[in-house]
Amino acid sequence: MAINDNASSSDGSGNKTLQAPDVARSKNLPWYKTDIGVRLTPHARKLFQEYSHVAPEDIESHILKIRDVAWEIFPWPCVGNFWFLSFGLSLHPIYPTILSRLCSSSDKILDLGTCLGQDLRKLLYDGAPLESLYGSDIFPAYEEIGQALFKDEATFNDRFIVGDILDESRESALARTEGSWDVINIIMFLHVFSWTDQLKASKRILDLLTVKPGSMIVGAQAATINPGELAVRPPFVKEGEHRTVFRQSRETFKRMWEEVGRAKGVELKVWAEYESSESEGPGEGKEGRFFTGDDQRRLVFTVERV
């Protein structure tokens, strides 16, 4: 497949908003896996057979081929190590509630940082109506790559909003949807930002949510019991370049959202909890993870409008 957007994203004005040094696309990195292994769970295999209609013997080669196209767009560790096959939203404890709401009402979900749209396809496969499902990402090419991965170009259309959550323009595609979303999914999203940008992004996300009580933001992200700004290391920055991300703890995450609520005059109920440090998930040994260390955790959370 031919993809034009292979290096960076543009915010529509020609400004580059996210780039990775070419060396970051090396396939000699510990989080670039050449074998899918246990990441292809029976549940994932079943979805590719029944939803995407890929022949059982072709599933692994099909995923490998499309994954490599996605890697050239941006070399996220979650792409390199096939984390997208985990269908992360479906692992969230509130997933059955979200699915039930989408199936029984006119509620809509926005999957921010949708990447290949895997969580949306899982919702659709599990019975959610297509018209309730939308995704947004900074990279326009992910729409076409997701359609190629799930082989649904003919049916999964007009579900993708190109947008940068940090873009403050009132004319941006995301800004035009403010107040529209009943559920916003931010799986593996906020942890790529500094503290300042996480706070800014969270305020923007809250603006996107509907004003009705019960609307919610759900997700999971890398976390730590020792929170703070971390310097981003090569190959994700060039030698000598300085950029940081803020690794949240459960406590700092809750405080951040309480601050966001106060700033916006909105009462929020915040639940956040660590997954067990032993439950890393299939194929997620420390040697294949980008963020390692005994203090590292995975944080699962829900932020609900009261």
Side-chain angles (χ1 to χ4, degrees):
M1 60 186 295
I3 296 293
N4 294 323
D5 184 0
N6 63 357
S8 61
S9 169
S10 171
D11 62 7
S13 62
N15 296 322
K16 298 299 183 182
T17 55
L18 187 61
Q19 295 178 307
D22 288 341
V23 67
R25 291 181 178 80
S26 168
K27 294 180 180 178
N28 295 316
L29 294 169
W31 55 88
Y32 178 88
K33 302 297 185 182
T34 58
D35 178 43
I36 301 175
V38 294
R39 281 290 192 200
L40 186 58
T41 65
H43 292 294
R45 183 178 288 277
K46 185 178 181 183
L47 186 146
F48 278 98
Q49 286 182 233
E50 297 183 357
Y51 174 81
S52 303
H53 305 292
V54 180
E57 65 273 16
D58 295 334
I59 290 175
E60 291 197 40
S61 61
H62 171 71
I63 293 171
L64 284 164
K65 176 183 176 182
I66 304 302
R67 186 283 303 265
D68 281 352
V69 177
W71 180 259
E72 291 301 315
I73 298 302
F74 198 86
W76 295 115
C78 59
V79 171
N81 70 10
F82 301 102
W83 192 88
F84 57 90
L85 294 177
S86 299
F87 300 97
L89 179 59
S90 69
L91 305 178
H92 197 291
I94 207 168
Y95 180 75
T97 299
I98 293 172
L99 181 62
S100 176
R101 283 178 57 170
L102 295 176
C103 290
S104 61
S105 71
S106 59
D107 280 7
K108 296 186 299 183
I109 185 171
L110 177 66
D111 185 22
L112 267 179
T114 191
C115 195
L116 305 182
Q118 61 276 1
D119 287 328
L120 299 178
R121 269 54 172 221
K122 183 67 166 70
L123 282 164
L124 185 59
Y125 176 70
D126 286 341
L130 179 64
E131 58 269 21
S132 69
L133 310 176
Y134 291 84
S136 178
D137 206 284
I138 198 169
F139 292 110
Y142 281 155
E143 179 179 23
E144 183 180 344
I145 298 172
Q147 291 170 336
L149 178 64
F150 292 103
K151 300 179 78 68
D152 58 3
E153 329 41 14
T155 55
F156 205 87
N157 294 309
D158 301 319
R159 306 287 101 198
F160 194 94
I161 301 168
V162 179
D164 179 353
I165 194 62
L166 298 179
D167 181 0
E168 296 183 280
S169 167
R170 303 304 302 171
E171 299 304 315
S172 72
L174 278 176
R176 291 197 294 270
T177 73
E178 283 187 5
S180 298
W181 307 103
D182 304 284
V183 182
I184 299 177
N185 178 36
I186 51 172
I187 293 273
M188 308 303 278
F189 183 72
L190 285 177
H191 66 198
V192 304
F193 300 118
S194 66
W195 170 267
T196 299
D197 282 347
Q198 286 192 41
L199 197 59
K200 180 179 176 182
S202 297
K203 291 176 181 177
R204 295 286 299 115
I205 292 167
L206 188 56
D207 286 341
L208 296 173
L209 208 60
T210 62
V211 298
K212 68 182 183 183
S215 59
M216 64 177 66
I217 300 155
V218 302
Q221 65 186 55
T224 178
I225 58 175
N226 296 309
E229 297 280 353
L230 299 177
V232 179
R233 307 184 304 270
F236 280 96
V237 292
K238 297 176 181 178
E239 291 291 346
E241 181 184 355
H242 180 70
R243 186 162 63 86
T244 64
V245 295
F246 188 84
R247 190 64 68 243
Q248 299 269 12
S249 68
R250 175 179 52 201
E251 292 74 23
T252 61
F253 184 85
K254 289 179 178 179
R255 285 200 298 270
M256 182 187 74
W257 278 102
E258 289 165 358
E259 182 178 339
V260 169
R262 285 194 299 271
K264 290 290 184 180
V266 177
E267 186 178 356
L268 299 173
K269 181 170 65 175
V270 183
W271 172 84
E273 194 53 73
Y274 298 128
E275 286 187 348
S276 167
S277 59
E278 299 301 317
S279 60
E280 294 179 325
E284 220 172 280
K286 289 183 179 180
E287 72 282 355
R289 288 162 45 194
F290 184 59
F291 300 106
T292 60
D294 292 338
D295 61 346
Q296 300 298 293
R297 299 290 186 271
R298 179 174 161 84
L299 187 68
V300 181
F301 55 85
T302 302
V303 180
E304 185 175 354
R305 190 163 188 146
V306 177

